[in-house]
Amino acid sequence: MTRITVDLGPRSYGIEIGPNLLESLGEKVSEVAPATRCALITDESVGAIYGTSAQESLERAGYRVERIAVGAGETSKRLSVVGAVYDQMAAARLERKSPVIALGGGVVGDLAGFVAATYLRGTPFIQVPTTLLAQVDSSVGGKVGVNLPAGKNLVGAFYQPKLVLCDLDTLQSLPEREYRAGLAEVIKYGIIEDVALFESLEAQTRRLNERSMDYLAPVIRRCCEIKASVAQRDEREGGLRQILNFGHTIGHAIEAVAGYGGVFARRGDLDRHGQSGGPIRKTHGV
Ligand SMILES: NC(=O)c1ccc[n+]([C@@H]2O[C@H](COP(=O)([O-])OP(=O)(O)OC[C@H]3O[C@@H](n4cnc5c(N)ncnc54)[C@H](O)[C@@H]3O)[C@@H](O)[C@H]2O)c1
């Protein structure tokens, strides 16, 4: 296991990266957010694979766990889902000290983080990212939020987690398409900040495609270091942090041309939003 610190003064936190970390989730959460109850927010797909082991670990550490599963995919990142999650948390009498634990990809992390930032005016937040994209990008830096029919990520907050736990074993069950989506962000870090990383990715495509843990562990660590360093210098995206959106403008154009579907989309319903009946426009960076 390796650990990086995101140095943000009183809002500092650790990112732990390694295999089999879900096993000790409860113990780690109790170190940063001791309480009697907690919310474990996940999506239906991730919950079916990792929900029980995460819940059991939290219970071993003494938590009464309220497990909340939202539908998988971007359509869960909206205010009506936030409202339903608040209701379930209030019914379970979760308190201000009760940690909110996000177990899943960027959708669950952004949604659960927004819930944590706003329920009772803020509860402790823990990220357990299970996609490559979430491990190298969305779980670090404290941007949380949801979409509106008018656009993506239009409502949100800067709300740092108390801990990020990247269990590398979870990447083995990730569908190929999602893994490749995460690789795009990894390549981005090479381009914006680290030539050696970029050259190594070019030279080691076989190990990358095989998801070799020996190779991936230091790569994920390096990406988290870069993201942490940018977030430390520009926590609220005053300028420098925009570099993390490198490549997204052309990506958004490709998505728009492809109608947020078809060959370029990562999921059939990507960026579609039931309420307005139209596609969500990507007007902002992630
Ligand atoms: N907050 C930020 O700084 C930031 C940065 C980048 C992206 N994002 C946001 O992240 C979201 C995209 O995140 P994502 O790409 O992780 O998508 P996602 O959360 O929708 O996950 C992709 C799919 O993979 C499944 N999945 C997740 N982990 C799995 C696992 N280990 N095994 C099997 N299946 C698994 C999920 O159920 C889902 O169907 C977008 O909403 C984007 O706006 C936020």
Side-chain angles (χ1 to χ4, degrees):
M1 198 267 288
T2 171
R3 186 181 162 96
I4 299 165
T5 300
V6 184
D7 191 357
L8 289 167
R11 295 180 305 290
S12 297
Y13 55 96
I15 306 169
E16 299 194 357
I17 303 163
N20 200 28
L21 295 185
L22 269 186
E23 178 74 18
S24 52
L25 173 65
E27 196 184 309
K28 307 265 184 204
V29 173
S30 66
E31 285 166 15
V32 294
T36 51
R37 297 160 206 244
C38 70
L40 176 64
I41 304 183
T42 184
D43 73 30
E44 282 160 359
S45 307
V46 176
I49 311 174
Y50 302 109
T52 301
S53 45
Q55 180 167 351
E56 286 175 355
S57 175
L58 289 160
E59 286 171 349
R60 281 197 302 278
Y63 289 98
R64 207 155 114 192
V65 181
E66 182 64 15
R67 194 156 143 187
I68 302 173
V70 302
E74 188 73 22
T75 48
S76 282
K77 246 180 74 172
R78 62 178 164 185
L79 288 170
S80 59
V81 176
V82 171
V85 173
Y86 290 150
D87 288 345
Q88 195 173 333
M89 288 172 61
R93 298 180 173 274
L94 291 172
E95 296 161 355
R96 190 174 282 169
K97 281 190 167 176
S98 312
V100 169
I101 298 136
L103 172 70
V107 164
V108 166
D110 282 11
L111 169 78
F114 184 68
V115 166
T118 48
Y119 181 75
L120 297 178
R121 299 189 180 82
T123 57
F125 176 42
I126 285 89
Q127 287 266 24
V128 187
T130 62
T131 62
L132 181 59
L133 179 139
Q135 294 193 353
V136 300
D137 192 353
S138 61
S139 66
V140 178
K143 269 183 169 188
V144 298
V146 294
N147 305 322
L148 293 181
K152 213 170 133 54
N153 298 327
L154 291 189
V155 177
F158 288 96
Y159 193 70
Q160 301 294 342
K162 298 264 178 235
L163 174 70
V164 180
L165 215 61
C166 296
D167 186 332
L168 298 174
D169 292 336
T170 60
L171 297 179
Q172 296 303 330
S173 58
L174 198 59
E176 186 61 21
R177 196 172 193 118
E178 304 302 338
Y179 180 68
R180 287 179 182 228
L183 282 182
E185 299 294 346
V186 172
I187 294 164
K188 171 193 82 178
Y189 286 113
I191 296 170
I192 65 172
E193 188 70 26
D194 189 336
V195 176
L197 171 65
F198 186 79
E199 287 174 352
S200 158
L201 296 171
E202 278 189 311
Q204 301 287 344
T205 44
R206 190 181 54 79
R207 292 172 80 197
L208 259 190
N209 289 334
E210 285 171 356
R211 308 188 194 186
S212 150
M213 281 303 142
D214 290 348
Y215 183 66
L216 272 182
V219 165
I220 292 172
R221 183 194 160 92
R222 182 67 191 126
C223 295
C224 287
E225 278 172 356
I226 297 170
K227 174 108 194 217
S229 137
V230 172
Q232 278 163 198
R233 284 176 285 160
D234 181 16
E235 186 182 0
R236 298 176 73 90
E237 200 166 301
L240 171 72
R241 191 166 172 168
Q242 288 170 15
I243 198 169
L244 297 171
N245 298 335
F246 178 86
H248 290 197
T249 309
I250 190 151
H252 295 172
I254 292 170
E255 283 178 318
V257 168
Y260 297 91
V263 290
F264 295 117
R266 293 165 40 206
R267 288 172 286 283
D269 65 351
L270 183 74
D271 290 344
R272 288 195 182 279
H273 198 290
Q275 274 176 308
S276 70
I280 290 173
R281 287 179 294 114
K282 286 202 167 189
T283 50
H284 292 226
V286 288

